[in-house]
């Protein structure tokens, strides 16, 4: 098999020799074989990338000082270059993390160009606001780019999450140092190829793949003005502490243990495609999935049977096969983590109704069967901790208030869904759930609307106009009477 190997890092608008010979090797989640490698960035490479981003931002004729329209033209070229590489991008992501290619085509190939165009248009809407003051004078409120952004992204939906940060940051006039996760670097380098082909100015976007220690060095770097991180709650707490000490703005999108609440009037059988997408998408490797399913006691056995039948019928296979619904997990380490939770769920009294092991027809690859637990206590480990795999816990509840109490009985607050025959009732119920986002009879992020969590699921928002604001800083000019603007 031909591997995809890069010898240089993308820094300062070109392929740059790394400071050491250390490398990151990538393996296929489905076959476990080596599929490529890239240089592993070290502290010296971070220094070079941040310096390039700093120079590009501080240049009085540079990116930050371009008109939004001119930046938009460059980002349109970037979007087109990504679209030209869409098929390859989807395949690379699927090979690396096991995402079914049909999903990768939507999330990893389709979403980034959409975000680039959306934020380019949004940023072109104006950066000045003249306000009439209370004392008869005026104020001019300006919105400018915040500076050099450290963007740190995970492996589960690498390109879509990258552009939750890169698209608004670049549109705002910031420059970016991107640290992709070691598990998914081949897609990040393909993105760098697109940036080079689009003619992004030197230093505007830099790609430095590395592990946690080097990521921590980037977070603390004195040349960085803003950090945007997506990943685990534990890592997020550490980053938040460091940014707090530095008084450095930070956006954190962290873990989740969201509830999929099935109300007593729901016809779940007619919504199984949407229910699957809200609970088991991407092999369970998405932070907002509703992995706690709350079912009324009056219909508990029926709902357990419906979800069990759904899970049992899912097509498990090669992530590059368009028919596959469930692929492998990203790594052996991740599979061991998920299998540990399955064992714990059984030890704590959960009853497996489907799955629980490895697929018999998959001799290689880091596969785990979609696993459904019934009779799960609301305080059980598998009902409280984020598993990040295809495991659902079905928890019984007495009435609507009890369901609200169970849904809110978690340290997380990122996603969720309500399932009902009455959408108005669902919307009213959703208002009572403490979470950053929630859907009625489905769940889907929308570029126009803010996404993010509360409690241990993070702070700040991405997407929508709210996703642009963290990359801008406000400046107020108080005008005297003679210089007031008409």
């Amino acid at each position: 098999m031909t591997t995809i190997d890069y010898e240089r890092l993308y820094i300062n608008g070109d392929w740059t020799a790394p400071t050491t010979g250390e490398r990151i090797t990538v393996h296929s989640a489905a076959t476990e074989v080596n599929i490529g490698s890239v240089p592993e960035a070290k502290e010296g490479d971070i220094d070079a990338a941040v310096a390039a981003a700093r120079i590009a931002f501080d240049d009085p004729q540079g990116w930050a000082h371009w008109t939004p329209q001119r930046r938009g033209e460059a980002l349109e070229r970037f979007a087109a270059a990504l679209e030209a590489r869409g098929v390859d991008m989807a395949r690379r992501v699927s090979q690396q993390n096991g995402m079914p290619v049909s999903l990768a085509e939507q999330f990893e190939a389709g979403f980034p160009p959409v975000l680039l165009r959306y934020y380019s248009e949004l940023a072109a809407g104006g950066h000045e606001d003249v306000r009439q003051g209370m004392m008869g004078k005026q104020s001019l409120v300006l919105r400018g780019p915040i500076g050099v952004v450290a963007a740190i992204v995970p492996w589960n939906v690498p390109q879509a999450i990258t552009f939750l940060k890169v698209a608004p940051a670049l549109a705002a006039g910031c420059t970016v140092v991107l640290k992709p996760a070691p598990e998914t670097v081949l897609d990040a380098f393909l993105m760098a190829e697109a940036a080079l082909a689009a003619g992004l100015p030197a230093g505007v976007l830099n790609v430095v793949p590395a592990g946690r220690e080097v990521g921590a060095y980037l977070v603390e770097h004195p040349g960085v003005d803003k950090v945007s991180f997506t990943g685990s709650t534990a890592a997020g707490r550490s980053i938040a502490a460091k940014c707090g000490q530095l008084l450095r703005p930070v956006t954190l999108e962290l873990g989740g243990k969201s509830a999929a609440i099935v109300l007593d009037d729901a016809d779940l059988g007619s919504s199984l495609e949407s229910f699957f997408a809200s609970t088991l998408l991407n092999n369970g490797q998405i932070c907002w999935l509703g992995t706690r399913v709350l079912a009324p006691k009056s219909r508990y056995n029926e709902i357990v049977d419906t979800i069990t039948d759904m899970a049992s019928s899912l097509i498990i296979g090669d992530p590059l096969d368009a028919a596959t619904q469930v692929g492998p997990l990203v790594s052996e380490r991740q599979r061991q983590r998920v299998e540990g939770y399955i064992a714990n769920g059984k030890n704590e009294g959960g009853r497996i109704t489907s799955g629980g092991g490895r697929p018999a027809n998959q001799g290689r690859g880091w596969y785990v069967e979609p696993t459904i637990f019934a009779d799960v206590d609301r305080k059980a480990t598998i009902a409280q901790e984020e598993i990040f795999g295809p495991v659902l816990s079905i928890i019984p509840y007495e009435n609507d208030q009890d369901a609200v109490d169970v849904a809110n009985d978690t340290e997380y607050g990122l996603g969720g869904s309500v399932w009902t025959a009455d959408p108005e009732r669902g919307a009213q119920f959703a208002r009572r759930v403490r979470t950053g986002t929630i859907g009625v009879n489905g769940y889907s992020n929308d570029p126009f609307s803010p996404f993010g969590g509360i409690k241990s699921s993070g702070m700040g928002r991405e997407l929508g106009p709210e996703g642009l604001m963290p990359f801008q800083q406000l400046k107020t000019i108080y005008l005297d009477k003679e210089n007031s603007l008409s």
Side-chain angles (χ1 to χ4, degrees), residues 26-49:
V26 183
H27 295 82
S28 163
T31 67
E32 305 178 34
V33 302
N34 173 17
I35 57 173
S37 65
V38 304
E40 181 175 2
K42 296 297 182 180
E43 285 81 356
D45 303 304
I46 298 296
D47 290 340

PDB file of all heavy atoms in Angstrom, residues 26-49:
ATOM      1  N   VAL A  26       0.684   7.492  11.195  1.00  0.00           N
ATOM      2  CA  VAL A  26      -0.768   7.320  11.235  1.00  0.00           C
ATOM      3  C   VAL A  26      -1.130   5.923  10.749  1.00  0.00           C
ATOM      4  O   VAL A  26      -0.574   5.438   9.750  1.00  0.00           O
ATOM      5  CB  VAL A  26      -1.479   8.376  10.362  1.00  0.00           C
ATOM      6  CG1 VAL A  26      -2.990   8.225  10.474  1.00  0.00           C
ATOM      7  CG2 VAL A  26      -1.050   9.778  10.758  1.00  0.00           C
ATOM      8  N   HIS A  27      -2.079   5.283  11.443  1.00  0.00           N
ATOM      9  CA  HIS A  27      -2.540   3.950  11.068  1.00  0.00           C
ATOM     10  C   HIS A  27      -4.016   3.983  10.703  1.00  0.00           C
ATOM     11  O   HIS A  27      -4.791   4.763  11.264  1.00  0.00           O
ATOM     12  CB  HIS A  27      -2.303   2.956  12.203  1.00  0.00           C
ATOM     13  CG  HIS A  27      -0.854   2.725  12.502  1.00  0.00           C
ATOM     14  ND1 HIS A  27      -0.111   3.569  13.300  1.00  0.00           N
ATOM     15  CD2 HIS A  27      -0.009   1.751  12.084  1.00  0.00           C
ATOM     16  CE1 HIS A  27       1.124   3.114  13.370  1.00  0.00           C
ATOM     17  NE2 HIS A  27       1.222   2.009  12.649  1.00  0.00           N
ATOM     18  N   SER A  28      -4.402   3.125   9.793  1.00  0.00           N
ATOM     19  CA  SER A  28      -5.800   2.993   9.421  1.00  0.00           C
ATOM     20  C   SER A  28      -6.590   2.408  10.575  1.00  0.00           C
ATOM     21  O   SER A  28      -6.210   1.394  11.164  1.00  0.00           O
ATOM     22  CB  SER A  28      -5.943   2.083   8.196  1.00  0.00           C
ATOM     23  OG  SER A  28      -7.271   1.626   8.057  1.00  0.00           O
ATOM     24  N   ALA A  29      -7.711   3.046  10.909  1.00  0.00           N
ATOM     25  CA  ALA A  29      -8.557   2.529  11.979  1.00  0.00           C
ATOM     26  C   ALA A  29      -9.193   1.199  11.610  1.00  0.00           C
ATOM     27  O   ALA A  29      -9.542   0.404  12.486  1.00  0.00           O
ATOM     28  CB  ALA A  29      -9.642   3.549  12.310  1.00  0.00           C
ATOM     29  N   ALA A  30      -9.334   0.945  10.298  1.00  0.00           N
ATOM     30  CA  ALA A  30     -10.016  -0.271   9.840  1.00  0.00           C
ATOM     31  C   ALA A  30      -9.071  -1.439   9.613  1.00  0.00           C
ATOM     32  O   ALA A  30      -9.473  -2.600   9.760  1.00  0.00           O
ATOM     33  CB  ALA A  30     -10.783   0.020   8.559  1.00  0.00           C
ATOM     34  N   THR A  31      -7.821  -1.158   9.244  1.00  0.00           N
ATOM     35  CA  THR A  31      -6.879  -2.240   8.922  1.00  0.00           C
ATOM     36  C   THR A  31      -5.687  -2.289   9.865  1.00  0.00           C
ATOM     37  O   THR A  31      -4.948  -3.273   9.868  1.00  0.00           O
ATOM     38  CB  THR A  31      -6.356  -2.092   7.480  1.00  0.00           C
ATOM     39  OG1 THR A  31      -5.555  -0.900   7.398  1.00  0.00           O
ATOM     40  CG2 THR A  31      -7.507  -2.010   6.493  1.00  0.00           C
ATOM     41  N   GLU A  32      -5.461  -1.240  10.615  1.00  0.00           N
ATOM     42  CA  GLU A  32      -4.353  -1.113  11.563  1.00  0.00           C
ATOM     43  C   GLU A  32      -2.993  -0.949  10.891  1.00  0.00           C
ATOM     44  O   GLU A  32      -1.962  -0.917  11.566  1.00  0.00           O
ATOM     45  CB  GLU A  32      -4.325  -2.291  12.547  1.00  0.00           C
ATOM     46  CG  GLU A  32      -5.630  -2.494  13.298  1.00  0.00           C
ATOM     47  CD  GLU A  32      -5.611  -3.696  14.225  1.00  0.00           C
ATOM     48  OE1 GLU A  32      -4.544  -3.995  14.803  1.00  0.00           O
ATOM     49  OE2 GLU A  32      -6.661  -4.341  14.367  1.00  0.00           O
ATOM     50  N   VAL A  33      -2.953  -0.808   9.565  1.00  0.00           N
ATOM     51  CA  VAL A  33      -1.685  -0.673   8.859  1.00  0.00           C
ATOM     52  C   VAL A  33      -1.289   0.791   8.762  1.00  0.00           C
ATOM     53  O   VAL A  33      -2.120   1.692   8.838  1.00  0.00           O
ATOM     54  CB  VAL A  33      -1.759  -1.296   7.451  1.00  0.00           C
ATOM     55  CG1 VAL A  33      -2.146  -2.761   7.525  1.00  0.00           C
ATOM     56  CG2 VAL A  33      -2.707  -0.520   6.559  1.00  0.00           C
ATOM     57  N   ASN A  34      -0.003   1.028   8.580  1.00  0.00           N
ATOM     58  CA  ASN A  34       0.533   2.370   8.416  1.00  0.00           C
ATOM     59  C   ASN A  34       0.023   2.970   7.106  1.00  0.00           C
ATOM     60  O   ASN A  34       0.163   2.368   6.039  1.00  0.00           O
ATOM     61  CB  ASN A  34       2.063   2.300   8.416  1.00  0.00           C
ATOM     62  CG  ASN A  34       2.720   3.625   8.094  1.00  0.00           C
ATOM     63  OD1 ASN A  34       2.098   4.680   8.163  1.00  0.00           O
ATOM     64  ND2 ASN A  34       3.994   3.577   7.745  1.00  0.00           N
ATOM     65  N   ILE A  35      -0.576   4.162   7.188  1.00  0.00           N
ATOM     66  CA  ILE A  35      -1.072   4.813   5.968  1.00  0.00           C
ATOM     67  C   ILE A  35      -0.369   6.133   5.695  1.00  0.00           C
ATOM     68  O   ILE A  35      -0.616   6.756   4.660  1.00  0.00           O
ATOM     69  CB  ILE A  35      -2.594   5.044   6.032  1.00  0.00           C
ATOM     70  CG1 ILE A  35      -2.980   5.883   7.249  1.00  0.00           C
ATOM     71  CG2 ILE A  35      -3.341   3.721   6.009  1.00  0.00           C
ATOM     72  CD1 ILE A  35      -4.446   6.277   7.267  1.00  0.00           C
ATOM     73  N   GLY A  36       0.514   6.569   6.584  1.00  0.00           N
ATOM     74  CA  GLY A  36       1.222   7.808   6.309  1.00  0.00           C
ATOM     75  C   GLY A  36       1.933   8.349   7.525  1.00  0.00           C
ATOM     76  O   GLY A  36       1.852   7.801   8.630  1.00  0.00           O
ATOM     77  N   SER A  37       2.637   9.463   7.327  1.00  0.00           N
ATOM     78  CA  SER A  37       3.373  10.090   8.416  1.00  0.00           C
ATOM     79  C   SER A  37       3.640  11.545   8.084  1.00  0.00           C
ATOM     80  O   SER A  37       3.613  11.956   6.926  1.00  0.00           O
ATOM     81  CB  SER A  37       4.700   9.364   8.664  1.00  0.00           C
ATOM     82  OG  SER A  37       5.556   9.501   7.533  1.00  0.00           O
ATOM     83  N   VAL A  38       3.882  12.317   9.147  1.00  0.00           N
ATOM     84  CA  VAL A  38       4.214  13.736   9.009  1.00  0.00           C
ATOM     85  C   VAL A  38       5.259  14.074  10.069  1.00  0.00           C
ATOM     86  O   VAL A  38       5.423  13.334  11.044  1.00  0.00           O
ATOM     87  CB  VAL A  38       2.982  14.642   9.194  1.00  0.00           C
ATOM     88  CG1 VAL A  38       1.875  14.266   8.226  1.00  0.00           C
ATOM     89  CG2 VAL A  38       2.478  14.604  10.628  1.00  0.00           C
ATOM     90  N   PRO A  39       5.974  15.195   9.921  1.00  0.00           N
ATOM     91  CA  PRO A  39       6.881  15.611  10.995  1.00  0.00           C
ATOM     92  C   PRO A  39       6.105  15.957  12.260  1.00  0.00           C
ATOM     93  O   PRO A  39       4.993  16.487  12.195  1.00  0.00           O
ATOM     94  CB  PRO A  39       7.563  16.862  10.421  1.00  0.00           C
ATOM     95  CG  PRO A  39       7.344  16.797   8.952  1.00  0.00           C
ATOM     96  CD  PRO A  39       6.037  16.087   8.756  1.00  0.00           C
ATOM     97  N   GLU A  40       6.683  15.648  13.406  1.00  0.00           N
ATOM     98  CA  GLU A  40       6.085  16.034  14.677  1.00  0.00           C
ATOM     99  C   GLU A  40       6.664  17.376  15.114  1.00  0.00           C
ATOM    100  O   GLU A  40       7.881  17.511  15.295  1.00  0.00           O
ATOM    101  CB  GLU A  40       6.346  14.983  15.749  1.00  0.00           C
ATOM    102  CG  GLU A  40       5.715  15.331  17.084  1.00  0.00           C
ATOM    103  CD  GLU A  40       5.866  14.244  18.128  1.00  0.00           C
ATOM    104  OE1 GLU A  40       6.506  13.213  17.833  1.00  0.00           O
ATOM    105  OE2 GLU A  40       5.335  14.420  19.243  1.00  0.00           O
ATOM    106  N   ALA A  41       5.808  18.362  15.262  1.00  0.00           N
ATOM    107  CA  ALA A  41       6.271  19.691  15.650  1.00  0.00           C
ATOM    108  C   ALA A  41       6.776  19.687  17.089  1.00  0.00           C
ATOM    109  O   ALA A  41       6.197  19.051  17.966  1.00  0.00           O
ATOM    110  CB  ALA A  41       5.156  20.708  15.483  1.00  0.00           C
ATOM    111  N   LYS A  42       7.851  20.417  17.309  1.00  0.00           N
ATOM    112  CA  LYS A  42       8.407  20.603  18.650  1.00  0.00           C
ATOM    113  C   LYS A  42       8.395  22.093  18.985  1.00  0.00           C
ATOM    114  O   LYS A  42       7.904  22.911  18.216  1.00  0.00           O
ATOM    115  CB  LYS A  42       9.816  20.020  18.709  1.00  0.00           C
ATOM    116  CG  LYS A  42       9.868  18.507  18.507  1.00  0.00           C
ATOM    117  CD  LYS A  42       9.119  17.779  19.613  1.00  0.00           C
ATOM    118  CE  LYS A  42       9.198  16.272  19.460  1.00  0.00           C
ATOM    119  NZ  LYS A  42       8.465  15.570  20.528  1.00  0.00           N
ATOM    120  N   GLU A  43       8.954  22.423  20.142  1.00  0.00           N
ATOM    121  CA  GLU A  43       8.873  23.805  20.612  1.00  0.00           C
ATOM    122  C   GLU A  43       9.457  24.796  19.611  1.00  0.00           C
ATOM    123  O   GLU A  43       8.917  25.890  19.409  1.00  0.00           O
ATOM    124  CB  GLU A  43       9.581  23.935  21.962  1.00  0.00           C
ATOM    125  CG  GLU A  43       8.806  23.356  23.128  1.00  0.00           C
ATOM    126  CD  GLU A  43       8.948  21.844  23.265  1.00  0.00           C
ATOM    127  OE1 GLU A  43       9.606  21.230  22.394  1.00  0.00           O
ATOM    128  OE2 GLU A  43       8.416  21.274  24.243  1.00  0.00           O
ATOM    129  N   GLY A  44      10.561  24.428  18.959  1.00  0.00           N
ATOM    130  CA  GLY A  44      11.159  25.324  17.979  1.00  0.00           C
ATOM    131  C   GLY A  44      10.248  25.581  16.790  1.00  0.00           C
ATOM    132  O   GLY A  44      10.231  26.693  16.240  1.00  0.00           O
ATOM    133  N   ASP A  45       9.476  24.576  16.408  1.00  0.00           N
ATOM    134  CA  ASP A  45       8.537  24.748  15.299  1.00  0.00           C
ATOM    135  C   ASP A  45       7.370  25.640  15.721  1.00  0.00           C
ATOM    136  O   ASP A  45       6.872  26.439  14.918  1.00  0.00           O
ATOM    137  CB  ASP A  45       8.021  23.385  14.842  1.00  0.00           C
ATOM    138  CG  ASP A  45       9.140  22.453  14.428  1.00  0.00           C
ATOM    139  OD1 ASP A  45       9.931  22.839  13.543  1.00  0.00           O
ATOM    140  OD2 ASP A  45       9.239  21.363  15.006  1.00  0.00           O
ATOM    141  N   ILE A  46       6.930  25.498  16.981  1.00  0.00           N
ATOM    142  CA  ILE A  46       5.887  26.388  17.506  1.00  0.00           C
ATOM    143  C   ILE A  46       6.386  27.828  17.491  1.00  0.00           C
ATOM    144  O   ILE A  46       5.668  28.754  17.093  1.00  0.00           O
ATOM    145  CB  ILE A  46       5.477  25.971  18.928  1.00  0.00           C
ATOM    146  CG1 ILE A  46       4.889  24.540  18.929  1.00  0.00           C
ATOM    147  CG2 ILE A  46       4.483  26.971  19.513  1.00  0.00           C
ATOM    148  CD1 ILE A  46       3.613  24.387  18.159  1.00  0.00           C
ATOM    149  N   ASP A  47       7.628  28.023  17.920  1.00  0.00           N
ATOM    150  CA  ASP A  47       8.208  29.370  17.906  1.00  0.00           C
ATOM    151  C   ASP A  47       8.175  29.956  16.497  1.00  0.00           C
ATOM    152  O   ASP A  47       7.807  31.129  16.307  1.00  0.00           O
ATOM    153  CB  ASP A  47       9.648  29.340  18.412  1.00  0.00           C
ATOM    154  CG  ASP A  47       9.751  29.047  19.904  1.00  0.00           C
ATOM    155  OD1 ASP A  47       8.749  29.234  20.626  1.00  0.00           O
ATOM    156  OD2 ASP A  47      10.838  28.622  20.344  1.00  0.00           O
ATOM    157  N   ALA A  48       8.563  29.155  15.518  1.00  0.00           N
ATOM    158  CA  ALA A  48       8.596  29.634  14.137  1.00  0.00           C
ATOM    159  C   ALA A  48       7.195  29.951  13.623  1.00  0.00           C
ATOM    160  O   ALA A  48       6.983  30.960  12.937  1.00  0.00           O
ATOM    161  CB  ALA A  48       9.270  28.592  13.243  1.00  0.00           C
ATOM    162  N   ALA A  49       6.227  29.090  13.957  1.00  0.00           N
ATOM    163  CA  ALA A  49       4.856  29.297  13.487  1.00  0.00           C
ATOM    164  C   ALA A  49       4.232  30.533  14.126  1.00  0.00           C
ATOM    165  O   ALA A  49       3.574  31.334  13.447  1.00  0.00           O
ATOM    166  CB  ALA A  49       4.010  28.058  13.783  1.00  0.00           C
TER     167      ALA A  49
END
